[in-house]
Amino acid sequence: MKTNKIVVILMLAFSIHSFAQHPMGEKKEQIRALKVGFITNELSLTSDEATKFWPIYNAFDDKQFELRHQKMKAFKGRMEEDLDKMSDKEALALLAQMENNEDELYQIRKKFIAHLKGILPPVKIIKLKKAEDDFNRKLLQQYRNKGARK
């Protein structure tokens, strides 16, 4: 088990180094592949669990990505404007949009967890959250280390 973790971490380290040479779509797919390996290893998914888990997880991850990146683009554009010139009415409308987006993210996460309860034991669902956080932390650290070397 410990050897598997070391292999996954080494794959993560070497793969992130090569990201600068690939278009963005390929980078996303490489990151996704690393994430799949990392989560599978951290959760010790059986083949039956993995078969049921990954389609649900991928659908959830795609929807979450869409909400975070596509809808947030609109917010970001508005927030880069001169905020001092924004009227209270415009600011309230933007706040309402942001709240709706956050609520939608919460609702899809809640629905996702409800689906997982029929597939994975509760401890593995909690381990999933930890594995996602750990993966993201390691990815960010690799990115920071890469930036520091330039």
Side-chain angles (χ1 to χ4, degrees), residues 73-83 86 94:
K73 266 187 196 175
F75 304 145
K76 187 177 179 182
R78 291 293 316 263
M79 292 176 68
E80 287 179 358
E81 297 173 8
D82 187 359
L83 295 178
M86 185 180 284
L94 184 59

Side-chain angles (χ1 to χ4, degrees), residues 7-39 54 57-58 61-62 65 135-136 138-139 142 146:
V7 170
V8 170
I9 291 169
L10 287 174
M11 283 180 17
L12 177 66
F14 289 121
S15 296
I16 290 174
H17 178 66
S18 67
F19 285 160
Q21 302 160 0
H22 301 286
M24 190 56 149
E26 288 182 34
K27 288 180 189 178
K28 184 180 175 195
E29 288 306 312
Q30 285 181 330
I31 291 171
R32 181 174 257 186
L34 291 169
K35 188 176 187 180
V36 166
F38 187 82
I39 289 173
W54 285 112
Y57 184 84
N58 289 334
D61 198 41
D62 290 343
F65 179 83
F135 180 82
N136 290 335
K138 287 178 184 188
L139 191 65
Q142 288 288 329
K146 182 179 173 187

Side-chain angles (χ1 to χ4, degrees), residues 1-132:
M1 177 90 137
K2 198 170 194 172
T3 304
N4 287 343
K5 288 182 183 181
I6 293 170
V7 170
V8 170
I9 291 169
L10 287 174
M11 283 180 17
L12 177 66
F14 289 121
S15 296
I16 290 174
H17 178 66
S18 67
F19 285 160
Q21 302 160 0
H22 301 286
M24 190 56 149
E26 288 182 34
K27 288 180 189 178
K28 184 180 175 195
E29 288 306 312
Q30 285 181 330
I31 291 171
R32 181 174 257 186
L34 291 169
K35 188 176 187 180
V36 166
F38 187 82
I39 289 173
T40 299
N41 186 54
E42 291 296 305
L43 298 184
S44 302
L45 294 175
T46 66
S47 60
D48 186 46
E49 288 172 337
T51 302
K52 294 175 184 175
F53 170 77
W54 285 112
I56 293 169
Y57 184 84
N58 289 334
F60 162 75
D61 198 41
D62 290 343
K63 180 67 175 172
Q64 184 174 246
F65 179 83
E66 176 190 326
L67 284 170
R68 284 201 170 127
H69 293 90
Q70 303 304 324
K71 290 187 176 184
M72 291 303 281
K73 266 187 196 175
F75 304 145
K76 187 177 179 182
R78 291 293 316 263
M79 292 176 68
E80 287 179 358
E81 297 173 8
D82 187 359
L83 295 178
D84 291 329
K85 293 181 181 177
M86 185 180 284
S87 71
D88 283 349
K89 185 177 179 180
E90 291 172 320
L92 286 172
L94 184 59
L95 282 172
Q97 287 177 330
M98 292 167 65
E99 289 170 350
N100 287 337
N101 192 47
E102 289 298 321
D103 187 51
E104 198 171 344
L105 281 167
Y106 170 74
Q107 292 302 324
I108 65 165
R109 181 82 152 158
K110 190 174 176 181
K111 185 177 177 182
F112 170 66
I113 290 171
H115 281 122
L116 288 183
K117 287 179 182 176
I119 297 170
L120 299 176
V123 171
K124 284 190 178 182
I125 296 171
I126 293 169
K127 284 182 177 182
L128 171 64
K129 176 63 177 150
K130 182 180 182 320
E132 288 175 318

